[in-house]
Amino acid sequence: MQTVTLIPGDGIGPEISAAVVKIFDAAKAPIRWEERNVTAIKGPGGRWTIPPDAKESMDLSKIGLKGPLKTPIAAGHPSMNLLLRKTFDLYANVRPCVSIEGYRTPYTDVDLVTIRENTEGEYSGIEHVIVDGVVQSIKLITENASRRIAEYAFEYARNNQRSSVTAVHKANIMRMSDGLFLRKCREVAENYKDVKFTEMYLDTVCLNVSVAGLGSDRLVLTAGLGSDHRVHGTAPDIAGMDLANPTALLLSAVMMLRHMGLHGHAARIQTACFDTIREKKVLTKDLGGSSKCSEFTAEICRRVQDLD
Amino acid sequence: MAAHSAVLSVSKIINPLWGRHLKGKTVKVFGTTLAIHRNKASHAGDNIPLPAKYGGRHTVTLIPGDGIGPELLSHVKEVFRYSCVPVDFEVVHVNSAMEAEDDINNAITAIRRNGVALKGNIETKHTMPPSVKSRNNLLRTSLDLYANVMHCQSLPGVQTRHKNIDILIVRENTEGEYSSLEHESASGVVECLKIITRTNSLRIAEYAFQLAREKGRRRVTAVHKANIMKLGDGLFLQCCREVASGYPDITFDSMIVDNTTMQLVSKPQQFDVMVMPNLYGNVVSNVCAGLVGGPGLVPGANYGRDYAVFETATRNTGKSIAGKNIANPTAMLLASCMMLDHLKLYDHATPIRNAVFTTMNETRLHTADLGGQGTTSEVVQSIMRVIQSKGQLTSEM
């Protein structure tokens, strides 16, 4: 039995987290969930922190599953997601983007993974008002963080049999900062001759993705401009109405199972999920169906139990 | 050239009267502050230089650039000559391999002189030291070309995944992440400054709303990341809202850049006019160009208060396809038509534009980037044939 810290989050967060817990239960996954809430607390000295019980839980379990967290624009405190990343030094944001069989989109055969540096870059959160009406935001790039994320990307590529790593940058404009990032990527690439390394401008990537969809590559992004953000939204307009699609959170939880070495459970839950989508009988509204979240969840639970 | 500019700048200090007459011609010495000084002097009521027109013919600066720039621009010259367009090009070459800024300063002076330019993209080589700034960026900031405008429209003759797209993108072109202000604060730690100012944010928002009103558009969407960059993008958003309140006939809303890119690739038809700071503009304009068919199709314009520079919207050098006669001439030709419109030569712009669209949509002669087999010259010949067939005055082929 392993403990995992569960942070349901805001908006549709609680309902999709509940769906995941139910499915894991049906699959008899050996997980004990420890539910914690995260809000911004102003500590002594004016520093913003997360609640101590949440931090304690994560420090012990070392693994967390989180739903979407909302950051109101004039909140006065930094983004909750940013706070979590800084607190636990979650330096690599990994997002596999794969076309799901049975759900048609304009882009077919997509199979790429974006790996995004998660602690610095444009999201450093350092801003100043120089004079009234002039604001400066600082984008920070360090040697250590760049090397670390490049190593993560190449290790991931090697461990998951991916053919190439592409560094995405804007070094023609941000000569020193993205230049440093690129140099570190090139240095790390020297130690991974079995993985192909290429570099591409951010604009070219955007252009190619919308024209053709990129093939089976891996991307390393500088922090700031991530790509597929299906997992982000709190979707307040459908919260509490049993309409949300728990797939994204479920597949993230499957990634978590693989990370924990529970490949059998991971495979069963993933198969159950993909089969449900492929059959097209029980689909949530965003996938073109008319079923409720609870019905979709129940269907996956049924399939998982059948696969046992 | 360097000595000449030193003399000019010194005399500007010791003899302010003489300096004022030359206000448009002084070469950049103090970097961005010179642009501010120039604006200040101009606000004091000095005359804005007239466009370079003599004997009914306009003079336009032409910067060939690198990669496919030179070949595409020579096709533009060919089409102009054929259609008897009263435009003479003053060609200024910019060598991207040179560290000194003489070339780009010559180009900037030429544009100040003529008021209008058509350019290819100048390559920024990574092998050069970081002190060598992007030439394209230098040009934009020196001439204060604050608005980059791009019109992304679905073309009936082009196969794309999405249809019925008609988006106007207005991108702030001089500050934001492109301020080129970087330093190594400690060993292995680099800071890059993103600057957002109230003045420029108000200015670009004003431009976007004016453009929307002029073109009869209903909605302006501001793209930002104010949940993370609360002060910077927060200021931008606030300025947009202030300007929006003066245009009650136009709906204003805002969207975070991550959601925007996602919406663009799933439901692009929802967008009308979009306004945003520099880097998001780069991302959004490239995504949109891809949605309507790629970099070979969309023209772009850079407008300042006194100058206008036209180019392809996605600013690619196209090094890998240079010299092979396969590049798509559409974007550059449409950019040259935008330039003719700017010079009020509508009677010359319209036939060329129509001929480009006819070749694209009816004849369906496409280059490789659109999945066709036509060469650049074949497409250009076809365009010229269409121009002739419509009964316009043309010179010999």
Side-chain angles (χ1 to χ4, degrees):
Chain A
M1 231 6 175
Q2 264 188 280
T3 310
V4 170
T5 309
L6 177 68
I7 301 166
D10 308 306
I12 54 170
E15 32 195 298
I16 55 178
S17 308
V20 169
V21 170
K22 208 179 269 174
I23 295 170
F24 269 48
D25 207 35
K28 299 204 201 53
I31 306 278
R32 191 177 75 82
W33 301 102
E34 211 170 75
E35 213 176 288
R36 292 282 179 271
N37 273 321
V38 207
T39 49
I41 298 185
K42 201 160 195 182
R47 276 188 62 227
W48 293 97
T49 53
I50 60 171
D53 62 340
K55 184 159 189 308
E56 259 173 58
S57 170
M58 274 293 295
D59 282 339
L60 280 172
S61 64
K62 300 272 185 260
I63 300 192
L65 183 70
K66 83 174 240 308
L69 285 170
K70 106 183 146 200
T71 302
I73 287 176
H77 63 74
S79 145
M80 288 316 307
N81 295 311
L82 210 60
L83 207 48
L84 277 175
R85 285 177 217 143
K86 284 224 167 95
T87 311
F88 301 113
D89 198 25
L90 305 170
Y91 67 90
N93 179 276
V94 182
R95 289 196 179 141
C97 303
V98 181
S99 291
I100 294 184
E101 201 188 319
Y103 181 58
R104 280 200 67 237
T105 63
Y107 304 93
T108 50
D109 296 328
V110 176
D111 184 10
L112 62 92
V113 180
T114 60
I115 296 182
R116 166 182 164 186
E117 207 294 325
N118 222 6
T119 60
E120 55 177 30
E122 290 84 347
Y123 288 21
S124 63
I126 311 168
E127 293 187 294
H128 320 280
V129 178
I130 312 285
V131 289
D132 186 32
V134 178
V135 176
Q136 164 185 302
S137 305
I138 297 186
K139 161 178 161 153
L140 203 65
I141 298 282
T142 61
E143 232 181 84
N144 290 337
S146 306
R147 194 186 324 110
R148 193 167 61 164
I149 194 67
E151 272 167 5
Y152 185 96
F154 279 95
E155 277 296 333
Y156 188 101
R158 205 178 250 172
N159 295 340
N160 291 277
Q161 289 88 42
R162 308 293 298 211
S163 53
S164 73
V165 173
T166 306
V168 181
H169 65 96
K170 195 92 192 117
N172 51 345
I173 298 294
M174 292 180 242
R175 305 296 305 279
M176 280 178 85
S177 34
D178 280 3
L180 174 60
F181 177 80
L182 271 185
R183 269 202 312 282
K184 289 297 143 201
C185 286
R186 285 181 197 141
E187 275 171 33
V188 173
E190 291 296 308
N191 299 333
Y192 291 82
K193 295 283 196 204
D194 48 324
V195 179
K196 190 170 97 149
F197 175 66
T198 49
E199 299 165 8
M200 209 183 258
Y201 283 131
L202 174 62
D203 10 338
T204 314
V205 170
C206 292
L207 204 50
N208 291 345
V209 167
S210 56
V211 170
L214 284 170
S216 345
D217 284 329
R218 158 94 65 275
L219 294 178
V220 177
L221 288 165
T222 57
L225 291 137
S227 62
D228 191 345
H229 283 251
R230 249 163 276 250
V231 209
H232 246 195
T234 50
D237 49 331
I238 57 168
M241 304 204 291
D242 199 18
L243 290 172
N245 185 343
T247 306
L249 190 62
L250 184 64
L251 293 177
S252 306
V254 165
M255 277 178 84
M256 181 189 79
L257 284 173
R258 293 214 162 91
H259 177 83
M260 293 161 77
L262 295 164
H263 298 283
H265 292 90
R268 276 203 301 280
I269 296 174
Q270 185 174 299
T271 309
C273 180
F274 284 169
D275 282 351
T276 309
I277 296 178
R278 196 185 311 118
E279 291 292 300
K280 295 201 224 225
K281 291 211 202 90
V282 190
L283 287 180
T284 47
K285 195 152 164 281
D286 61 314
L287 294 175
S290 52
S291 305
K292 295 206 170 292
C293 174
S294 42
E295 291 165 355
F296 184 71
T297 309
E299 178 67 17
I300 299 180
C301 287
R302 192 184 63 75
R303 282 181 192 271
V304 150
Q305 278 162 338
D306 284 345
L307 283 168
D308 246 336
Chain B
M1 188 64 208
H4 178 52
S5 53
V7 167
L8 275 178
S9 53
V10 165
S11 38
K12 195 170 164 67
I13 296 164
I14 58 176
N15 189 345
L17 277 165
W18 187 43
R20 198 162 66 235
H21 288 301
L22 291 169
K23 69 188 155 4
K25 283 27 170 196
T26 315
V27 175
K28 175 176 80 118
V29 173
F30 301 111
T32 48
T33 47
L34 190 69
I36 297 168
H37 286 157
R38 186 182 59 73
N39 283 337
K40 276 199 190 140
S42 310
H43 283 312
D46 288 319
N47 293 323
I48 293 167
L50 297 165
K53 186 175 175 180
Y54 188 72
R57 296 184 68 82
H58 294 261
T59 307
V60 170
T61 308
L62 188 88
I63 303 169
D66 300 306
I68 51 175
E71 54 192 274
L72 293 181
L73 287 168
S74 81
H75 285 303
V76 168
K77 279 197 273 191
E78 207 183 317
V79 172
F80 274 25
R81 195 189 60 83
Y82 183 73
S83 314
C84 303
V85 174
V87 166
D88 294 314
F89 287 112
E90 182 188 351
V91 181
V92 184
H93 291 279
V94 177
N95 187 348
S96 51
M98 265 182 67
E99 280 194 38
E101 290 183 0
D102 294 341
D103 273 4
I104 192 67
N105 286 337
N106 287 343
I108 292 169
T109 309
I111 301 175
R112 286 195 211 278
R113 189 166 44 238
N114 298 323
V116 180
L118 189 60
K119 72 181 272 287
N121 196 259
I122 304 163
E123 191 191 350
T124 308
K125 291 183 162 35
H126 292 184
T127 45
M128 313 206 83
S131 53
V132 179
K133 308 273 183 227
S134 154
R135 297 316 186 212
N136 305 298
N137 202 23
L138 266 177
L139 201 140
R140 294 190 288 265
T141 48
S142 308
L143 296 170
D144 201 24
L145 302 169
Y146 66 91
N148 179 264
V149 182
M150 185 172 144
H151 185 190
C152 281
Q153 231 181 339
S154 291
L155 293 175
V158 182
Q159 271 274 64
T160 52
R161 287 183 173 81
H162 304 273
K163 312 265 174 245
N164 299 324
I165 300 174
D166 192 354
I167 307 175
L168 263 174
I169 299 173
V170 178
R171 164 186 173 184
E172 207 292 325
N173 216 10
T174 56
E175 57 175 26
E177 298 82 351
Y178 287 48
S179 309
S180 302
L181 295 165
E182 296 181 294
H183 55 266
E184 192 162 1
S185 46
S187 168
V189 177
V190 176
E191 282 182 5
C192 174
L193 303 180
K194 163 179 164 160
I195 310 286
I196 300 277
T197 61
R198 170 178 294 282
T199 320
N200 290 346
S201 303
L202 284 172
R203 192 167 64 162
I204 195 66
E206 192 63 55
Y207 189 96
F209 277 91
Q210 280 285 20
L211 189 67
R213 190 172 263 175
E214 221 178 283
K215 305 276 181 192
R217 300 284 193 146
R218 320 265 58 197
R219 189 172 145 225
V220 173
T221 307
V223 180
H224 66 95
K225 191 101 183 125
N227 52 342
I228 299 294
M229 283 174 258
K230 298 166 188 297
L231 293 184
D233 285 358
L235 176 59
F236 181 80
L237 205 54
Q238 197 191 323
C239 293
C240 289
R241 288 205 182 101
E242 275 175 40
V243 173
S245 58
Y247 292 80
D249 50 323
I250 298 176
T251 318
F252 171 71
D253 56 10
S254 62
M255 202 183 268
I256 296 185
V257 63
D258 4 352
N259 191 17
T260 308
T261 46
M262 195 175 77
Q263 296 291 333
L264 276 172
V265 295
S266 39
K267 279 197 313 273
Q269 297 80 7
Q270 61 181 290
F271 294 104
D272 194 356
V273 179
M274 302 169 80
V275 64
M276 61 209 81
N278 219 331
L279 189 62
Y280 312 144
N282 184 230
V283 170
V284 169
S285 51
N286 276 275
V287 173
C288 287
L291 292 174
V292 298
L297 292 180
V298 193
N302 303 287
Y303 296 108
R305 205 197 52 190
D306 305 326
Y307 312 109
V309 175
F310 301 88
E311 55 179 351
T312 63
T314 47
R315 303 170 176 167
N316 306 96
T317 23
K319 268 194 309 186
S320 54
I321 56 172
K324 298 187 182 157
N325 201 17
I326 52 175
N328 194 335
T330 307
M332 198 57 93
L333 281 168
L334 290 177
S336 64
C337 293
M338 286 179 83
M339 181 196 78
L340 291 175
D341 281 336
H342 180 77
L343 293 173
K344 304 205 200 306
L345 293 169
Y346 307 113
D347 292 339
H348 288 281
T350 312
I352 298 176
R353 185 179 286 124
N354 289 343
V356 172
F357 285 145
T358 304
T359 306
M360 174 73 49
N361 301 326
E362 286 165 46
T363 326
R364 310 248 164 157
L365 181 58
H366 292 168
T367 40
D369 58 318
L370 298 175
Q373 268 116 30
T375 61
T376 319
S377 5
E378 278 170 13
V379 175
V380 174
Q381 295 292 323
S382 165
I383 291 169
M384 296 200 291
R385 268 197 301 273
V386 173
I387 295 173
Q388 186 192 46
S389 69
K390 302 288 179 192
Q392 300 291 320
L393 169 70
T394 56
S395 58
E396 74 291 345
M397 270 263 217

